Amino acid sequence: MKHAPVPDDRVIVLFGSTGDLARRKLLPGLFRLAVAGLLPRSCRIIGTSRKSLSNEEFRTFARAAVDEFGRCEVAEEAWRNFARLLSYAPSDAGDFGVLAATVERAEAEIGSGPRRLHYLSVPPAAMVRIIEALGRAGLAEGARVIVEKPFGTDLASARRLNAAVHLAFDESQVFRIDHFLGKETVQNILALRFANGLFEPAWNRDHIDHVQIDVPETLSIGSRAGFYESTGAFRDMVVTHLFQVLGFVAMEPPASLDAKALVDEKVRVFRSLEPLDPTRVVRGQYEGYLAEDGVAPGSQTDTFVALEVRIDNARWAGVPFYLRTGKRLAEGRRVTTIAFKKPRLRMFDGDGFCPNKLVFDLADPGGIAVEFLAKVPGAAMAIGPARMAFAYEDSFCTSNRLEAYERLIHDALIGDRTLFTRADGIERLWEVATPLLESPPPVQAYPAGTWGPGAADDLVAPRRWHLPDG
């Protein structure tokens, strides 16, 4: 961390500061950045929401959040230093007068013209009103804004949201956050490909049979029916997280590792995506979903989705990308699998012969494994499955690693847009998704604790869904 740049002086305004994301991730993450010395030397953090709280009540809320969800020990001196940075101002989407006055006081306390960073941890429906109010109150000028996903629910809404954002902010000021891209192992896809001569020469249609990006979850929707009924698994996970990981896997080598070069290559992948074929999509809904509090009777919301994605370019033509995610499944995993083709000379071909695989475990801290075949000890020339694995926690000191939200907040503070999404990329993904959104196949029921509808296995046949150790 000693090599990480320290951000310029900043006033951070946290919208939705009493919400679940702020409690679980943002406030503990800001505290961790403070302890690590990665917040600006002069900084103020202003929480805001519709609730009426005093400064002390907000600090009490923040302390409870850090105690429950923080990843580092809360030393009292460190907490006192952090608490002095916190204040609170209630805000109504139509009137930011109190908030603007609080920001001005914070800036006066810091002096030297600090810049602003607004974090919009709010539902999509509230974003436009808040962004417009920021513009009217003069709080957008020279500021940066972090916008939470999902960024729209279809192409039309994404375009409307981008248009509203661009009335108040230049694109260079906008940081559309996807916490998946802040994970160390997602970033390690780039490191493994472009820092090693071993893998990149085989990273193409001549050697790769297919790619799987698999994010099953064991959790139900819980109390999020209001959000989930308007999104579903495809909008919530695929357009945001899984497509972004696909962009890292499939991109061409960038000219450099600077933000523009990397984002340009990722957007080129999105432009090469073929529109989704609804006949190559399986939508599911776990049994019991309709009984969840807040779910509409007869809802066709998908809690599971598996789909085939094709990329129409020279590197990937003919290679299927299979994406799968869902609620109430048998395991909770985050895995990307690169499955290589069988060798042309099949001296060892047999029933047990399977393709080599390169597996990225995207959990925290995660790791990478290579699955291959080796000779089984003995007199006969028999082969069996073998595995070589790299685990972050075994190879590096992981105590100093930044969690995804911590990394991305710090990147926004220093103005590094490498791991954030861009307006044209977001709109292209919704464009690709339009055929599915207009003609979605019906949802198929599946028992909780299983791997979803059986049709998902048919989708990838004769291949199989792959998870390490299972």
Side-chain angles (χ1 to χ4, degrees):
M1 290 192 183
K2 65 182 179 181
H3 301 297
V6 177
D8 296 333
D9 294 349
R10 190 80 50 175
V11 173
I12 301 171
V13 182
L14 182 57
F15 288 85
S17 60
T18 58
D20 190 61
L21 179 62
R23 186 171 65 93
R24 290 176 175 271
K25 296 293 184 181
L26 305 184
L27 290 167
L30 287 166
F31 176 73
R32 178 102 195 292
L33 290 175
V35 171
L38 294 178
L39 284 185
R41 292 186 177 89
S42 295
C43 177
R44 296 293 185 274
I45 301 168
I46 301 171
T48 186
S49 72
R50 292 184 175 183
K51 292 184 178 180
S52 180
L53 298 177
S54 67
N55 289 340
E56 283 307 314
E57 287 172 330
F58 179 58
R59 289 168 185 151
T60 299
F61 175 85
R63 176 59 188 264
V66 170
D67 285 340
E68 185 174 0
F69 297 107
R71 297 194 303 116
C72 59
E73 183 180 350
V74 185
E76 287 306 315
E77 182 178 1
W79 172 254
R80 286 193 296 271
N81 291 336
F82 181 70
R84 282 194 286 267
L85 307 180
L86 301 177
S87 60
Y88 184 84
S91 60
D92 182 279
D95 182 8
F96 280 3
V98 174
L99 176 61
T102 305
V103 170
E104 290 175 4
R105 284 196 300 271
E107 291 174 339
E109 291 173 4
I110 295 175
S112 70
R115 299 182 67 181
R116 302 162 188 153
L117 173 66
H118 303 295
Y119 196 124
L120 271 57
S121 175
V122 298
M127 284 184 184
V128 171
R129 296 195 303 272
I130 290 175
I131 289 167
E132 290 173 346
L134 285 171
R136 289 195 300 270
L139 294 173
E141 185 177 354
R144 293 173 183 154
V145 60
I146 299 176
V147 181
E148 267 292 340
K149 65 94 177 174
F151 199 85
T153 56
D154 56 18
L155 179 58
S157 62
R159 285 174 171 168
R160 286 195 300 271
L161 185 50
N162 275 327
V165 168
H166 290 153
L167 286 176
F169 297 93
D170 181 78
E171 178 65 21
S172 64
Q173 300 172 266
V174 183
F175 293 74
R176 297 172 189 81
I177 195 167
D178 175 5
H179 74 271
F180 257 54
L181 299 189
K183 291 177 176 292
E184 291 281 1
T185 312
V186 173
Q187 297 166 53
N188 214 11
I189 295 172
L190 300 178
L192 181 132
R193 282 189 62 186
F194 303 132
N196 299 287
L198 180 62
F199 301 102
E200 181 61 20
W203 211 269
N204 55 59
R205 59 182 297 200
D206 294 331
H207 301 280
I208 292 175
D209 178 79
H210 68 280
V211 177
Q212 293 182 13
I213 302 173
D214 208 355
V215 186
E217 298 181 284
T218 58
L219 300 174
S220 69
I221 64 164
S223 60
R224 302 174 69 216
F227 166 79
Y228 214 77
E229 275 287 276
S230 63
T231 54
F234 177 76
R235 287 180 170 94
D236 183 36
M237 293 292 294
V238 176
V239 179
T240 52
H241 301 322
L242 275 62
F243 274 161
Q244 296 298 328
V245 174
L246 181 150
F248 273 8
V249 172
M251 70 165 56
E252 295 296 318
S256 69
L257 288 178
D258 69 51
K260 185 178 186 305
L262 277 168
V263 175
D264 281 349
E265 292 302 338
K266 192 170 62 169
V267 171
R268 285 192 181 99
V269 172
F270 298 159
R271 288 175 182 154
S272 297
L273 291 176
E274 296 182 4
L276 296 183
D277 179 357
T279 67
R280 302 297 293 162
V281 178
V282 176
R283 298 170 69 241
Q285 186 183 94
Y286 65 78
E287 294 175 359
Y289 176 78
L290 295 178
E292 300 277 15
D293 188 31
V295 171
S299 171
Q300 284 286 297
T301 298
D302 50 286
T303 65
F304 171 97
V305 64
L307 62 152
E308 180 183 278
V309 180
R310 297 278 180 162
I311 301 175
D312 185 15
N313 64 20
R315 181 181 290 265
W316 296 111
V319 178
F321 285 68
Y322 296 112
L323 281 54
R324 177 176 69 167
T325 187
K327 300 287 189 183
R328 297 301 304 273
L329 297 180
E331 292 183 36
R333 303 296 290 268
R334 287 165 167 75
V335 176
T336 295
T337 302
I338 315 295
F340 291 88
K341 292 182 176 180
K342 295 179 180 180
R344 291 185 177 90
L345 189 60
R346 300 183 180 180
M347 293 182 294
F348 298 100
D349 204 358
D351 292 339
F353 195 88
C354 58
N356 304 145
K357 297 182 179 71
L358 180 63
V359 183
F360 295 86
D361 183 350
L362 307 182
D364 291 322
I368 304 172
V370 179
E371 298 183 3
F372 58 100
L373 295 166
K375 181 184 178 299
V376 177
M381 191 57 171
I383 57 174
R387 193 169 189 264
M388 293 189 297
F390 151 77
Y392 265 98
E393 57 188 356
D394 295 337
S395 302
F396 297 106
C397 175
T398 60
S399 60
N400 288 334
R401 69 179 174 88
L402 294 180
E403 192 192 45
Y405 276 102
E406 297 164 0
R407 166 68 190 270
L408 293 172
I409 291 171
H410 181 260
D411 282 356
L413 285 168
I414 63 175
D416 185 346
R417 304 179 75 240
T418 303
L419 301 177
F420 295 85
T421 58
R422 204 169 64 190
D424 55 341
I426 290 289
E427 291 184 12
R428 173 56 184 166
L429 291 178
W430 284 120
E431 185 178 12
V432 167
T434 297
L436 174 61
L437 298 179
E438 291 180 344
S439 302
V443 294
Q444 303 177 40
Y446 62 93
T450 66
W451 285 110
D457 294 329
D458 299 333
L459 176 71
V460 301
R463 304 172 179 93
R464 296 181 181 179
W465 291 104
H466 172 270
L467 287 175
D469 308 319

